[in-house]
């Protein structure tokens, strides 16, 4: 997907989630992280040493020697020359004053360190130069922000946990960053149907922990679950480990509340499993990366938690009869030098451990 | 859902399927059918006596005595006064000539009997007065029809099997009826992934029969399956018996080919299980009743056919612990006078009959 802007009136982009770290929503803070980013065609790093929430204590920019300069790889359209549109305004002190008025001082962030973290994506491939980070606490605040930015023609970029790998959650230029991580309330869970309603800033792993106590699981699971947020998951149509079993978010998301670029709040927060009243607009916001609006609330169908989990590890001779575990470069190979060409790792969950265990691995493949 | 038109440039509406009967796609023809419809606030009937495909041999209009006039029940916005928009043109002989030129004589239907059947919905609650029924055989023909109708401002109504119960598949006034029942080719089935590609006019039961031989089933099943068509199922976001098990069409439909009101063909016929390239526009056409475009081809994920089927019939004392079988008025009660307040009928399908049978009914409820 192109990283170039797709605008209606304002730039709206969105991605999932890592830098909840900097906004007080990180549940598993790292003690010291070296994160690379690109600065004038040099690989640079900044260091975060954080033992409490919300702190970025050091930012060090280390240029490489010219002779060892690593050519910047172009993962997206960033390699082409993108010009900042003159149609967008530039932030001024009146704008900041207005945001402080509607949000309060503490959620209008201008500190350099926190801005640096919010301007860089998780992989350090993309770096923006936003001067303002906003942390709205409600749908109404998101609406007021977007309404104002629209009237002033200030570009914005929505941000979740900022764990995305394609730079969708960081500014290209000086867009105002709207991070929904402060909107992390669980609103309700129907314990009969498993329908969960929550705010977009809820961290995926927190939702899973909450649901596990009630006998349910989230229908999606991915590596970034400790930081990524459900709003970003939806905006990027995240898949993950449960995709084959529980299907796509288009099947599991029952309703959304979304704020459009002009501040209009679209309430599509139904909990009906099949709602045929009118056009099903919510699907436009699933996977559209925040370009059409910012997801603020979510209604999601969660499957029951199954009691039996089994893991099978299979060695195979050819590709056609199995799914292959990819080996990522630079990652330790957990296997000894091998006699087999392929391996398959299968995790099953079921309702009866004794039955699940008596199924042979061959049956797994046939299933 | 309102029956009033939601137009872009032309009227486009769509519903599933019964009058495949009249277009040669009915696989289980009834010998004699008495179908009621409303005529000037009188209940009228027409009779179809058909022992071969494509024949409607008799159409008899029987008005009731005035003293026994049954007041017309208003199931939808039809009770309000709907005026035919003067913006739409009226069909003339030049239009018919053009359609014969692009479709051939045999698929441009003007015979009164066949038009009568196509003008009335399955329940006989709604009756239009279309003078023309078109049976395109390809996406390109659908495109040419819509392009022409758009340029002439002729209103159209898409029609599948015409089994819908809310009058969505019949004209309100004199719209041109576009029935896609002739587009009933199965294009491909990936026997590894279970991804089926077919045309919109395929009858649901025929698809199921085809898939059963290959070890798969359609993820939806409903009473009208012998006549309803997959294009109508999608346009109406049909659910049915498999909904709880296999989820909604939003989760199972992988791709669509759609013709817009101006004749533009939208090719979204992907077979990727998770396709995040661009906006996922296909979801707008699922459940929008043909108002946005006519579905012409479908890519659908079909689950494996399971070998073990069991049916459990349970008697229960209260409502909260069970799902209740509704008793429809006028239908024979299959049970003797009962000692129990509630009954639950559960059908399970699984991969191992011996295991499935050893699960107690109590376990079913808990699951």
């Amino acid at each position: 997907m192109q990283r170039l802007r797709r605008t209606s009136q304002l730039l709206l982009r969105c991605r999932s989630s890592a830098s909840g770290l900097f906004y007080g929503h990180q549940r598993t803070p790292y003690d010291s992280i070296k994160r690379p980013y690109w600065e004038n065609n040099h690989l640079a790093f900044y260091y975060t040493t954080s033992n409490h929430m919300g702190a970025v204590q050091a930012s060090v920019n280390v240029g490489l020697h010219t002779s060892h300069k690593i050519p910047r790889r172009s993962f997206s359209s960033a390699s082409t020359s993108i010009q900042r549109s003159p149609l967008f305004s530039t932030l001024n002190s009146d704008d900041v004053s207005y945001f402080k008025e509607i949000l309060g001082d503490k959620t209008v962030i201008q500190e350099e360190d926190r801005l640096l973290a919010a301007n860089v994506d998780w992989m350090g491939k993309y770096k923006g130069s936003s001067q303002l980070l906003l942390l709205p606490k409600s749908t109404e605040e998101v609406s007021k922000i977007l309404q104002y930015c629209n009237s002033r023609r200030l570009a914005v970029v929505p941000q979740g946990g900022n764990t995305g790998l394609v730079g969708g959650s960081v500014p290209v230029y000086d867009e105002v960053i709207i991070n929904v991580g402060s909107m992390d309330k669980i609103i309700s869970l129907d314990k009969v149907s498993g329908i969960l309603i929550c705010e977009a800033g809820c961290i995926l792993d927190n939702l899973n922990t909450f649901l596990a106590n009630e006998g349910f699981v989230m229908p999606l699971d991915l590596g970034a679950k400790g930081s990524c947020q459900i709003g970003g998951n939806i905006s990027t149509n995240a898949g993950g480990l449960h995709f084959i079993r529980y299907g796509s978010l288009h099947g599991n998301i029952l309703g959304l509340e979304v704020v459009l670029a002009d501040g209009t709040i679209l309430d599509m927060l139904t909990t009906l499993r099949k709602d045929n009243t009118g056009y099903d607009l919510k699907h436009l916001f699933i996977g559209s990366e925040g370009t059409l609006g910012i997801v603020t609330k979510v209604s999601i169908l969660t499957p029951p938690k199954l009691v039996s989990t089994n893991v099978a590890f299979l060695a195979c001779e050819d590709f056609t009869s199995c799914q292959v575990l990819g080996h990522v470069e630079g990652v330790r190979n957990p296997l000894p030098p091998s006699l087999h060409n392929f391996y398959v790792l299968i995790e099953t969950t079921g309702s009866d451990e004794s039955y699940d265990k008596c199924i042979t691995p061959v049956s797994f493949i046939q299933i």
Side-chain angles (χ1 to χ4, degrees), chain A residues 69-82:
Chain A
K69 198 185 285 182
I70 303 169
R72 181 173 184 153
R73 289 176 63 190
S74 300
F75 296 91
S76 74
S77 56
S79 61
T80 61
S81 176
I82 309 171

Side-chain angles (χ1 to χ4, degrees), chain A residues 93-111 132-134 137 141 145 148:
Chain A
S93 58
D94 287 347
D95 300 327
V96 176
S97 301
Y98 175 79
F99 291 129
K100 285 185 175 174
E101 193 181 306
I102 59 168
L103 302 178
D105 286 0
K106 288 185 180 174
T107 50
V108 178
I109 312 297
Q110 291 182 290
E111 288 92 330
L132 192 64
L133 165 64
L134 303 177
K137 293 179 295 299
E141 287 187 358
I145 292 168
Y148 180 81

